[in-house]
Amino acid sequence: MFRRLVVVFDAGSESEAVLHAVRRLSAAPEAVYLYGLVPERSELEAPPPASLTVLDRLRHALHAWSPTLQVSGALETHLDTGSLIEAATKHGAELVVLGPHLDTSPRARVSAMLTLSLREHVPVLNIGKAPATAPRAPSRMAVAIAPDGRGLGSVATFLSRCALPSELIALTTGSAPEQTSHLQALSRALGITQTLHVESLTENPADSRVEAFDVAALRSGADLLVIPADALADMEALVLGMLGARALQEARVPTLLLPRTQTASVLFEDHYAVSDSVAVPGLAPRFSVERVGFMSSISVPEAGPLSVFEGGTTLGTTRHEGGTAALTASWFDHVRGLHPLAFSFSGASAPRNLSPCYVLGPEKPLLLVDSQLDEDALEAVRALAMDRHHLVFVRLRDTDSLDEQREHLRELLPDTPWPLLLDASAWLDDARADDVPQQVDGQRLLRVATRLAAAGVAISAVVTRDAHKPLHPYLRTLSPEECLALPRATSLAPLSIPDAPNTWSRELALAGCSPLLEGHHIDFELDNGLARESVLEAIDSARSTIHWQCYIVEDDAVTARITDALKRAASRGVHVRFLADALYSGHDSFGALNPALVTLSETPHVEVRAIAPLVGVPSLSELKQRNHRKLTVIDSERAFVSGRNLGAPYYTGFDEVGLRRTSHYRDIPWLDCGARLEGPLVSVLEGAFLSEWTRAGGEPYAYPPTQSVGTMAARVVLHEGLRDTHTLDTQLALIRHARSRLVLVNTFPLLLELQNALIAAVRRGVRVEVLFGSVRPHYGSARTYFPGGALREVADRYVRSRLDAVIEAGGIAYEWALPAMPEWEPELEQLFPHVHAKLMVCDTSAVAIGSANLDVTAAYWESEALLIVEDAPFAERLLTALNGLFATSRRIDREDRSWRDEVEQRAWVGRNWPSLVG
């Protein structure tokens, strides 16, 4: 391994012991420089002093070792660090050997060792009182390792270049099981083939650390003690020099000090921790990366490079960003079962900042488990898993570090040395769930399962401790109570997932979409006035039933016009059933009643019911878990899926109002959108209304199946708040599958997970365009606000703060604007109204229309409905209409100076929005 050596010896010692130690590490050196220490060097007279006799004897011994060996040397009166470094540099030393020194100061010795290894990056072999033995390769090697594994990288590099010992013992402080598994995982990932036995130091407080390592190495029977300088902080090196000098001088086991390969560490250095992951073909394994600092504080590290080691080889180098690293799927095509990895955050050569983890190539179905289950539930889950399942835990919040969660699991599962721990945020890319409430962690766990299942991973059950157990049509979910109630020998086979022709269809099926059905006629409604007339025409032509569900019911003239039409239909014998959210319609909550709905309910053949009435002091869940769907079904034959509530802002055309500078902001219409359809999916929507109707106390009713009437294909996705995330997962599927163009229309604060998905789309070359409006409408080049709604200006900044990252990445945003109309006061110049539509267009392959916004409330809390139309001509017609809206709007990109000037202000609002609104 070492070909060019500098050997420092004391002429008065048994110098042959030095050669025995050297021959263990260098079987065939090219050159040796002998640095002899002799006090009588100045008295070189005949007969020659004993020191020259020793020098000649060493030369002869070296030539006997290898006749071609180049031997040179010199005599010095004392050990001088400067001259030793000069000699090592001049002769290209790859190893400096310090033999037993009888007269040399211990401080001079350790000074030379530390200077060579820390500053000059030269390995140093220290031989103290080592007995002379026959030359042989070390059979048992002790390695001094920091508890977090620092230094193991340079040890692995050293082992790859020398004759391997039969046994390897890691000496470190502490002996917790998690430390042993941590070091063993790192050693395997770094290609150390020997089983790493971990032994704890048993230190006498009066001893130096060096002496403790020497005692431990001697006790373990080691032939060689290896100390990597990378394991030493600067302060530790200083203490080593002050307190360990004599211990090194008198060491009984030869000590090899490996040079520092990385930037010096500090005494209280932060360390990285990495989650585990799952690898299947075509799925990029995702890992959480966090920095653990003083007092176990957790932070997201700055973006940077990382290298990944497996079996001693570098799989590759990539980047971690936002606390997540997504690795190349093909790196793990060979993986079956559990494989240890080492992540290096300081380079691919002899890394110091190493973090161990495991990647699982599933060989059997998974049990995906909330890592915070209590002990009884965890024991029940382990009994269910037995040897039939991989037991995989998921961290849902980083309030506890990965290290702490692994330690918690080891305490509860002492026979599991390394619990496999995934991180939900790494898989969902949801920015550490900073904008997602803990009440929905059960859904996040289920969504991790959905992502894995979409890639073909078999999952037998998802076990959550969440009070709101999530539901999924194709994935079994279990509560702790259900786990405890199951017999221990229960077999949990994965539920059947419908066959899908492609990944798009499989992903949408797992997102909760209905099957793709053909036979529809579908059109969109962007014009408020035309949408009103369309629904009025449908009501006036109804023959048997009208079923209307909405979120908000305004008591205004437009609502009166539509409820009058409903009354007329009822007078013809049509059965009208009307559902409204109790809180947001102001009907049947806290004793309040909506006058428009009271009047409607007094009409024969009309039933009005409120969804989830509130009384007393409601919980947060009761306040947030509302029904946001907007559906209308006529005669079980045609339906409207919309973003429109019932009221003037949603059903009034912009050319139907005479706007003035003094107009109140509530008089400004909103841009909204809905779809009307005929065909088989009307039955699905009818069933959705029936489910909510009976839940609200209504009597069940029968309805006929809907026949095909056209050629268009579509799906429906229904989301139930706090039970599933079907609409969010559908929106994400559209974003992930976009290849050329993605258009969004919405003015609600982007869920951070959706924001990240849009940024990822931009980075892979998709043209991402967002049309948004002004929550507080304004007009003119001076951007003057209409009277009223001051708080809505803060909401505007919050919405736009979530767009900033998308724009910075290269997305394009349009602030919707309308040129002045003849009916308006000319001084308005240009109108910037609110955009209430919920639209997404993926290339020309799919369009999503309905009630689901792009915020956290729609994603998790409230029930929603979306229509997914998979018809290219339909998408092209809609894009043509949207292009017309873009043409009159203010285009914003990352070069827009006026937009950039307010970034910091918007960011502040984004960070403080919850406190601003109480």
Side-chain angles (χ1 to χ4, degrees):
M1 177 183 179
F2 299 112
R3 297 170 302 166
R4 305 186 67 82
L5 315 177
V6 169
V7 178
V8 183
F9 67 95
D10 190 312
S13 67
E14 293 294 330
S15 304
E16 285 77 5
V18 178
L19 295 188
H20 291 322
V22 170
R23 292 181 68 175
R24 293 179 178 181
L25 296 178
S26 182
E30 296 176 357
V32 175
Y33 181 82
L34 296 172
Y35 188 106
L37 298 178
V38 285
E40 71 275 23
R41 177 192 168 199
S42 60
E43 302 172 3
L44 297 182
E45 301 173 354
S51 55
L52 290 183
T53 303
V54 173
L55 185 60
D56 289 339
R57 192 164 65 244
L58 285 177
R59 284 194 176 113
H60 289 308
L62 288 169
H63 283 300
W65 177 8
S66 175
T68 60
L69 185 62
Q70 299 177 20
V71 181
S72 58
L75 298 176
E76 301 289 344
T77 58
H78 63 283
L79 179 60
D80 179 76
T81 300
S83 65
L84 179 57
I85 291 173
E86 183 179 345
T89 303
K90 178 179 178 181
H91 295 280
E94 297 174 359
L95 175 69
V96 173
V97 182
L98 297 179
H101 299 165
L102 300 180
D103 301 316
T104 300
S105 161
R107 290 284 179 87
R109 180 191 194 90
V110 79
S111 172
M113 289 182 64
L114 293 177
T115 304
L116 284 164
S117 62
L118 300 182
R119 195 182 74 187
E120 302 299 324
H121 308 293
V122 177
V124 180
L125 177 63
N126 174 75
I127 304 170
K129 291 184 176 180
T133 57
R136 57 182 174 83
S139 61
R140 180 175 289 182
M141 185 182 295
V143 182
I145 295 296
D148 62 1
R150 279 178 295 139
L152 201 52
S154 55
V155 170
T157 303
F158 166 69
L159 289 175
S160 70
R161 299 174 183 172
C162 72
L164 296 177
S166 58
E167 291 188 65
L168 195 63
I169 302 106
L171 305 178
T172 187
T173 55
S175 60
E178 64 269 17
Q179 184 183 35
T180 298
S181 56
H182 177 102
L183 294 175
Q184 288 175 342
L186 276 179
S187 68
R188 289 177 59 195
L190 292 170
I192 298 175
T193 56
Q194 299 85 350
T195 299
L196 189 70
H197 303 284
V198 180
E199 293 191 12
S200 174
L201 294 180
T202 54
E203 298 181 66
N204 183 327
D207 294 340
S208 72
R209 179 66 61 85
V210 173
E211 185 173 355
F213 277 120
D214 184 55
V215 169
L218 190 67
R219 185 179 65 245
S220 66
D223 314 286
L224 180 68
L225 171 62
V226 178
I227 300 178
D230 285 342
L232 300 175
D234 285 340
M235 185 61 70
E236 290 172 326
L238 178 62
V239 172
L240 174 70
M242 294 174 62
L243 304 180
R246 185 160 297 279
L248 283 168
Q249 185 98 312
E250 299 178 357
R252 289 161 292 181
V253 178
T255 303
L256 177 64
L257 184 60
L258 296 178
R260 176 163 284 163
T261 61
Q262 302 294 328
T263 304
S265 60
V266 294
L267 186 59
F268 298 108
E269 185 178 34
D270 294 356
H271 71 273
Y272 289 91
V274 180
S275 69
D276 306 304
S277 195
V278 174
V280 294
L283 177 67
R286 300 181 68 87
F287 299 81
S288 172
V289 177
E290 66 188 22
R291 200 170 183 92
V292 183
F294 186 62
M295 300 296 289
S296 297
S297 60
I298 306 169
S299 61
V300 176
E302 291 185 8
L306 63 85
S307 299
V308 183
F309 293 83
E310 185 210 14
T313 61
T314 305
L315 294 179
T317 299
T318 185
R319 286 182 63 81
H320 63 94
E321 184 174 3
T324 299
L327 306 188
T328 303
S330 61
W331 291 358
F332 304 96
D333 286 346
H334 63 287
V335 170
R336 300 292 182 275
L338 273 176
H339 280 237
L341 303 175
F343 279 41
S344 168
F345 297 89
S346 55
S349 174
R352 175 173 57 83
N353 288 328
L354 287 171
S355 295
C357 62
Y358 277 83
V359 63
L360 172 67
E363 299 173 299
K364 47 193 174 184
L366 273 53
L367 285 182
L368 213 60
V369 182
D370 185 330
S371 65
Q372 293 288 354
L373 281 188
D374 61 35
E375 185 172 3
D376 291 340
L378 200 56
E379 183 59 38
V381 170
R382 182 170 64 169
L384 290 171
M386 297 181 65
D387 59 353
R388 299 186 296 264
H389 302 89
H390 292 296
L391 193 56
V392 179
F393 298 96
V394 180
R395 181 181 73 161
L396 295 168
R397 295 282 162 176
D398 64 2
T399 48
D400 290 331
S401 70
L402 292 164
D403 295 341
E404 291 169 327
Q405 292 232 352
R406 286 190 177 114
E407 184 176 356
H408 165 74
L409 290 169
R410 286 191 192 97
E411 289 175 355
L412 300 182
L413 302 171
D415 56 348
T416 305
W418 189 280
L420 197 73
L421 182 63
L422 311 187
D423 181 78
S425 286
W427 281 101
L428 302 178
D429 199 15
D430 63 2
R432 323 305 295 175
D434 283 346
D435 62 340
V436 178
Q438 292 189 6
Q439 291 92 330
V440 302
D441 277 349
Q443 288 102 299
R444 295 178 64 240
L445 176 61
L446 179 58
R447 294 187 57 231
V448 174
T450 302
R451 290 290 301 274
L452 295 174
V457 178
I459 297 177
S460 290
V462 178
V463 184
T464 174
R465 63 184 168 89
D466 200 81
H468 303 278
K469 190 186 84 167
L471 302 174
H472 196 281
Y474 310 122
L475 294 172
R476 179 186 293 108
T477 57
L478 297 173
S479 67
E481 294 74 20
E482 289 170 328
C483 289
L484 290 166
L486 286 172
R488 296 300 173 95
T490 301
S491 177
L492 297 175
L495 299 181
S496 176
I497 297 175
D499 291 334
N502 49 50
T503 56
W504 162 256
S505 297
R506 181 182 179 89
E507 197 166 333
L508 288 183
L510 284 165
C513 291
S514 69
L516 182 67
L517 298 178
E518 297 181 343
H520 296 90
H521 175 72
I522 306 171
D523 210 348
F524 61 87
E525 297 175 327
L526 270 172
D527 185 284
N528 291 345
L530 294 179
R532 181 189 66 241
E533 297 308 311
S534 177
V535 76
L536 286 171
E537 184 277 327
I539 293 171
D540 289 339
S541 62
R543 303 183 309 276
S544 58
T545 57
I546 299 174
H547 297 148
W548 189 300
Q549 178 181 348
C550 67
Y551 185 63
I552 294 173
V553 177
E554 305 278 7
D555 186 16
D556 59 25
V558 169
T559 296
R561 186 173 173 187
I562 292 175
T563 54
D564 284 347
L566 293 174
K567 293 173 189 176
R568 291 195 302 271
S571 68
R572 301 193 305 269
V574 175
H575 196 145
V576 178
R577 297 179 176 93
F578 195 101
L579 272 173
D581 183 83
L583 178 62
Y584 285 94
S585 68
H587 190 68
D588 203 13
S589 278
F590 308 117
L593 295 173
N594 185 307
L597 295 181
V598 170
T599 303
L600 180 63
S601 66
E602 294 170 346
T603 306
H605 300 296
V606 174
E607 291 183 78
V608 175
R609 293 197 171 272
I611 299 174
L614 297 172
V615 294
V617 181
S619 67
L620 176 64
S621 294
E622 289 173 323
L623 287 170
K624 295 286 290 179
Q625 191 180 9
R626 310 311 306 173
N627 199 306
H628 191 247
R629 295 175 187 168
K630 291 100 175 190
L631 302 173
T632 305
V633 183
I634 309 292
D635 296 332
S636 298
E637 293 177 352
R638 47 182 171 164
F640 297 81
V641 180
S642 182
R644 291 185 171 92
N645 293 299
L646 185 50
Y650 317 97
Y651 284 109
T652 302
F654 287 91
D655 58 352
E656 296 178 329
V657 289
L659 295 179
R660 300 290 182 268
R661 286 169 291 175
T662 56
S663 296
H664 194 269
Y665 84 95
R666 292 182 59 85
D667 296 332
I668 315 299
W670 296 354
L671 176 67
D672 220 321
C673 189
R676 59 183 184 273
L677 72 152
E678 300 171 82
L681 284 177
V682 174
S683 293
V684 178
L685 297 171
E686 185 76 274
F689 180 90
L690 174 59
S691 177
E692 294 300 327
W693 179 255
T694 54
R695 186 182 300 183
E699 291 294 322
Y701 57 86
Y703 58 91
T706 309
Q707 303 303 311
S708 298
V709 296
T711 61
M712 298 172 69
R715 312 170 191 261
V716 163
V717 55
L718 301 167
H719 159 49
E720 184 176 347
L722 293 186
R723 291 295 181 187
D724 62 64
T725 52
H726 292 340
T727 49
L728 169 61
D729 292 331
T730 301
Q731 291 165 337
L732 286 165
L734 266 67
I735 295 172
R736 281 195 293 268
H737 285 270
R739 294 296 174 264
S740 58
R741 188 182 185 191
L742 187 66
V743 177
L744 294 82
V745 182
N746 199 230
T747 312
F748 284 78
L750 278 174
L751 183 71
L752 290 175
E753 184 177 352
L754 287 166
Q755 181 192 77
N756 286 342
L758 293 174
I759 292 171
V762 171
R763 289 176 177 173
R764 66 174 184 266
V766 177
R767 179 182 174 89
V768 173
E769 298 168 284
V770 181
L771 180 69
F772 69 95
S774 301
V775 182
R776 187 182 185 191
H778 55 91
Y779 63 88
S781 56
R783 305 176 66 82
T784 305
Y785 290 108
F786 289 95
L791 185 59
R792 298 175 74 87
E793 186 179 347
V794 181
D796 251 331
R797 295 185 186 278
Y798 184 37
V799 169
R800 296 167 192 220
S801 73
R802 292 293 174 90
L803 290 174
D804 280 331
V806 179
I807 295 170
E808 183 62 29
I812 301 170
Y814 297 89
E815 182 183 13
W816 189 48
L818 280 172
M821 293 187 173
E823 298 82 5
W824 303 349
E825 190 175 53
E827 287 79 4
L828 294 181
E829 299 176 12
Q830 193 177 30
L831 178 67
F832 295 85
H834 183 39
V835 172
H836 189 253
K838 304 96 169 56
L839 268 177
M840 188 181 294
V841 186
C842 170
D843 300 324
T844 57
S845 59
V847 175
I849 303 177
S851 67
N853 292 306
L854 301 174
D855 64 347
V856 65
T857 301
Y860 288 104
W861 288 106
E862 296 187 337
S863 297
E864 307 285 359
L866 275 180
L867 179 68
I868 311 300
V869 184
E870 298 184 36
D871 184 86
F874 178 85
E876 289 168 355
R877 289 198 307 274
L878 182 55
L879 285 172
T880 298
L882 293 176
N883 287 338
L885 300 181
F886 294 156
T888 63
S889 301
R890 174 194 172 198
R891 186 183 190 274
I892 300 163
D893 58 30
R894 56 188 171 192
E895 305 303 323
D896 189 315
R897 183 177 298 277
S898 62
W899 178 269
R900 293 176 66 91
D901 286 345
E902 297 181 355
V903 165
E904 289 302 320
Q905 191 178 46
R906 289 192 297 272
W908 184 89
V909 172
R911 291 190 299 268
N912 295 280
W913 169 256
S915 60
L916 290 173
V917 297

